[in-house]
Amino acid sequence: MAAQSLLSESVIGWSIFTVVLLVILAFCWIYIRKFQSRQDSEVVSTITAICALAIALITSALLPVDIFLVSYMKYPNGTYKQWAANNETRGQIEATVLYGYYTLYSIILFCVFLWIPFVYFYYEEKDDNNVNKCSQVKNALKYTVGFVLVCVALLLIGAFVPLEAPPGQNSTQWEKVQYLFEELGSRHGLSALSFSISSLTLIGMLAVITYTAYGMSVMPLNLIKGTRSVAYERLENTEDIDEVEHQIENLKSKCKDGRPLSSKDRRNLQELEGKLQVLQRRGRHLDIAESHCCSKVGSALRPVKIILGVFFILVALLFTISLFISNLDKALHSAGISYGFIIFGTNLTNPLNELLLALQPVFPLDYILITVITVYFVLTSMAGIRNMGIWFFWIRLYKIRPKRTRPQALLFLCMILLLIVLHTSYMIYSLAPQYVMYGSQKYLAQNQAPSTDPVLGNTTVSTTKICDADAPEDECTVTRTYLFLHKFWFFSTIYYFGNWAFIGAFLIGLVVSCCRGKKSVIEGEVEADDSDLSDDEYVHPYT
């Protein structure tokens, strides 16, 4: 009976996980194909981008399954269910989730340090005539070796830096080396993977602060404000064309008598001719936008966009408020900076934490909520990346635009999104530490209470409590997610201050987005540094 109950409840969790897996794969395929250049697309880069993004989303989807399994082991009164009463059975379930994380995180390391860099450098080395494939592969491998060395260094640091006190000074060198290997073997490489993933998540934190915080403000406000009138933009563009043509004619009139133009006039003429080409391309795009029925449908759906924009900005504010309360709770009640501001419960009322705890017993509502949060992160991050582009300090490397994104830019895009999604686990922990650690588990606490009969003395009374750090070790099961992602205190300290930076970046982005006017109906489609070939290969979504 217990075995059947265990099987049925495990099947429920993993069946929903499988459904979400299929949805994730479909979402990744549509998402990548939307931004992929139709003329410059490559099969390998497309498959790489789809797989990398899917792996990141699947890893995040494993989090609620982990929480569900540890929570479903117990009844609401704090006692273990019959099938989970055995420590060995609970250990098997925890091991299954642990091996799932091992597999997914190993694939993430493979993608970040080998697969994506190799594909990226392969296409960077590709020349116009596509002459020498062997040279491309050789050069790509040469550059990829550097990433592999970084990965090996991170694994070694995480594996051999002990978290416990090493042998004393009187120990021999062999005993010290033996201790390191015993540490590695006893933890089954947990620290090695945890350190490597935490290092990647640190980069993801920077991407979240840069792109996601800005995207959370710009995306809903763009929906609320809408776009400028196509007719007005065409009229404005026509006037600009007439003005530029008039300026060009004035400059050319200076050399009608055979006199050459000065160097200053030649520069001005070149700049005006380039500006005229951009305006003419804008005119073609505006003509297409105005003539298509999608612009009329967009006008009809204007109320829906406003409602969605208001909803998204409320979600962003809820997320920011919850993060602020959580950080304030850590500042007031955690053990401090030397312990990574780790907190094992909630002392201040956190709306998102309370919502997750309320939804968790009704599986899969919490699963759906976390999936929505993850997808929301991806969408807002993409909005931030699309508006800002991919930058390396002050140098813009790539633009991300529908149907016009190069293969290398797609790989960069998926690398950033992979790191951002990886950071969502830490963000969710920051928002709801108790939910991520224990789910909805409760335990029976034994308390001494005075008896009504003076002869009997004190009696033992059992009370049901929510699992926290004070609970007995065998009464509450910690999720594998917490063990994987919160093993090194110094990373937790950095993430704590990163959360404050995220809040500040969101508020700055909100002010900037509010001060900006409506965006153009062809926003991002035509820019001054676009080549004619880039414009010719563009297939407008309206056509």
Side-chain angles (χ1 to χ4, degrees):
M1 186 66 181
Q4 292 179 350
S5 178
L6 170 61
L7 179 62
S8 62
E9 291 173 349
S10 298
V11 166
I12 292 174
W14 288 109
S15 297
I16 297 178
F17 177 78
T18 303
V19 173
V20 173
L21 171 61
L22 297 176
V23 173
I24 285 174
L25 291 175
F27 170 79
C28 292
W29 185 83
I30 295 172
Y31 200 76
I32 297 301
R33 292 290 294 174
K34 175 185 177 182
F35 289 92
Q36 183 183 48
S37 172
R38 294 189 178 182
Q39 299 296 324
D40 195 25
S41 63
E42 297 286 351
V43 176
V44 176
S45 65
T46 303
I47 295 175
T48 301
I50 292 173
C51 292
L53 185 57
I55 289 296
L57 294 175
I58 291 168
T59 305
S60 295
L62 192 59
L63 170 63
V65 171
D66 185 10
I67 297 171
F68 167 73
L69 290 176
V70 297
S71 300
Y72 224 60
M73 293 179 185
K74 285 195 164 188
Y75 291 110
N77 62 5
T79 59
Y80 280 108
K81 296 181 180 180
Q82 185 178 0
W83 58 265
N86 191 340
N87 288 332
E88 183 177 352
T89 303
R90 296 200 299 271
Q92 291 175 354
I93 296 174
E94 295 166 14
T96 302
V97 178
L98 184 62
Y99 293 146
Y101 275 116
Y102 271 132
T103 303
L104 291 172
Y105 283 147
S106 299
I107 294 175
I108 288 176
L109 291 180
F110 173 75
C111 290
V112 171
F113 290 108
L114 182 60
W115 189 6
I116 294 179
F118 174 77
V119 176
Y120 175 83
F121 289 119
Y122 177 81
Y123 288 109
E124 279 291 299
E125 292 294 320
K126 184 178 180 180
D127 52 27
D128 295 334
N129 297 324
N130 196 18
V131 176
N132 195 341
K133 290 282 187 181
C134 293
S135 178
Q136 286 180 244
V137 173
K138 183 175 67 175
N139 290 332
L141 286 174
K142 179 177 65 176
Y143 293 123
T144 306
V145 167
F147 286 84
V148 175
L149 292 178
V150 172
C151 180
V152 172
L154 291 176
L155 289 173
L156 289 176
I157 292 173
F160 290 104
V161 174
L163 298 179
E164 298 178 0
Q169 296 293 331
N170 297 329
S171 303
T172 63
Q173 292 296 324
W174 167 248
E175 289 175 340
K176 293 179 180 179
V177 173
Q178 187 179 22
Y179 166 77
L180 290 177
F181 278 98
E182 288 175 353
E183 280 287 298
L184 175 63
S186 63
R187 290 178 288 177
H188 306 290
L190 177 63
S191 296
L193 270 179
S194 180
F195 187 88
S196 302
I197 294 299
S198 296
S199 301
L200 293 180
T201 308
L202 186 62
I203 304 174
M205 181 193 74
L206 299 177
V208 166
I209 294 171
T210 304
Y211 295 113
T212 310
Y214 179 64
M216 284 175 60
S217 61
V218 71
M219 187 182 76
L221 288 179
N222 282 343
L223 288 172
I224 294 173
K225 291 187 292 187
T227 58
R228 300 172 64 189
S229 168
V230 181
Y232 179 78
E233 281 199 75
R234 285 187 69 245
L235 178 61
E236 189 180 63
N237 191 75
T238 302
E239 293 176 351
D240 291 340
I241 290 175
D242 293 339
E243 182 181 352
V244 172
E245 287 178 342
H246 180 68
Q247 293 176 3
I248 291 175
E249 289 177 1
N250 289 339
L251 284 175
K252 288 183 177 180
S253 64
K254 294 182 179 180
C255 61
K256 284 184 178 180
D257 55 357
R259 290 182 302 173
L261 291 174
S262 64
S263 59
K264 180 180 179 181
D265 288 338
R266 285 197 301 269
R267 286 196 303 269
N268 290 339
L269 181 60
Q270 187 176 6
E271 290 176 0
L272 288 172
E273 288 175 345
K275 184 177 180 180
L276 180 61
Q277 290 180 357
V278 173
L279 291 173
Q280 289 172 345
R281 294 210 309 266
R282 280 183 58 86
R284 292 196 298 269
H285 284 257
L286 288 170
D287 289 340
I288 296 173
E290 187 179 33
S291 62
H292 203 275
C293 62
C294 284
S295 59
K296 300 177 181 178
V297 174
S299 300
L301 294 177
R302 186 81 187 94
V304 178
K305 292 182 179 180
I306 294 176
I307 294 173
L308 284 176
V310 172
F311 172 76
F312 284 143
I313 198 65
L314 290 176
V315 171
L317 292 174
L318 171 64
F319 193 87
T320 306
I321 292 171
S322 299
L323 191 61
F324 174 80
I325 293 175
S326 177
N327 261 25
L328 183 62
D329 196 4
K330 291 178 182 180
L332 296 176
H333 302 104
S334 69
I337 189 171
S338 58
Y339 292 92
F341 292 99
I342 295 177
I343 191 170
F344 300 100
T346 53
N347 301 284
L348 302 177
T349 302
N350 188 317
L352 192 56
N353 184 73
E354 296 298 325
L355 180 60
L356 285 169
L357 289 176
L359 295 179
Q360 204 281 329
V362 190
F363 190 81
L365 292 184
D366 65 322
Y367 193 101
I368 295 173
L369 178 59
I370 289 185
T371 303
V372 169
I373 290 174
T374 303
V375 173
Y376 179 75
F377 255 80
V378 173
L379 293 177
T380 54
S381 301
M382 192 61 247
I385 295 173
R386 184 179 176 185
N387 280 269
M388 297 176 63
I390 297 176
W391 292 75
F392 182 74
F393 292 103
W394 58 88
I395 302 173
R396 183 160 72 171
L397 301 178
Y398 298 105
K399 305 170 188 175
I400 306 297
R401 289 176 288 181
K403 310 300 182 185
R404 302 180 70 180
T405 308
R406 297 176 57 196
Q408 296 93 324
L410 269 181
L411 295 172
F412 249 109
L413 165 67
C414 287
M415 177 79 80
I416 293 174
L417 292 178
L418 188 150
L419 297 174
I420 286 175
V421 173
L422 203 59
H423 187 65
T424 57
S425 296
Y426 285 96
M427 295 292 286
I428 294 173
Y429 168 75
S430 299
L431 294 170
Q434 183 179 351
Y435 172 81
V436 173
M437 285 186 66
Y438 300 108
S440 62
Q441 291 182 85
K442 297 180 181 179
Y443 72 100
L444 294 177
Q446 307 294 331
N447 298 318
Q448 295 293 327
S451 174
T452 55
D453 189 348
V455 178
L456 297 177
N458 293 336
T459 59
T460 302
V461 179
S462 297
T463 56
T464 303
K465 292 186 176 181
I466 298 176
C467 284
D468 53 21
D470 298 327
E473 186 176 352
D474 59 342
E475 287 292 333
C476 294
T477 305
V478 179
T479 60
R480 304 301 94 181
T481 302
Y482 178 82
L483 296 179
F484 242 116
L485 302 180
H486 305 89
K487 197 171 185 65
F488 299 94
W489 65 268
F490 43 86
F491 282 115
S492 298
T493 301
I494 298 173
Y495 299 141
Y496 168 78
F497 290 108
N499 288 341
W500 287 117
F502 175 86
I503 295 173
F506 169 75
L507 294 177
I508 293 173
L510 189 63
V511 172
V512 171
S513 300
C514 289
C515 294
R516 285 185 173 178
K518 294 182 178 181
K519 68 175 184 177
S520 171
V521 71
I522 56 169
E523 182 78 20
E525 293 182 12
V526 180
E527 295 188 18
D529 55 352
D530 289 337
S531 64
D532 292 335
L533 177 63
S534 174
D535 191 63
D536 291 339
E537 77 174 22
Y538 176 71
V539 180
H540 200 283
Y542 297 139
T543 59

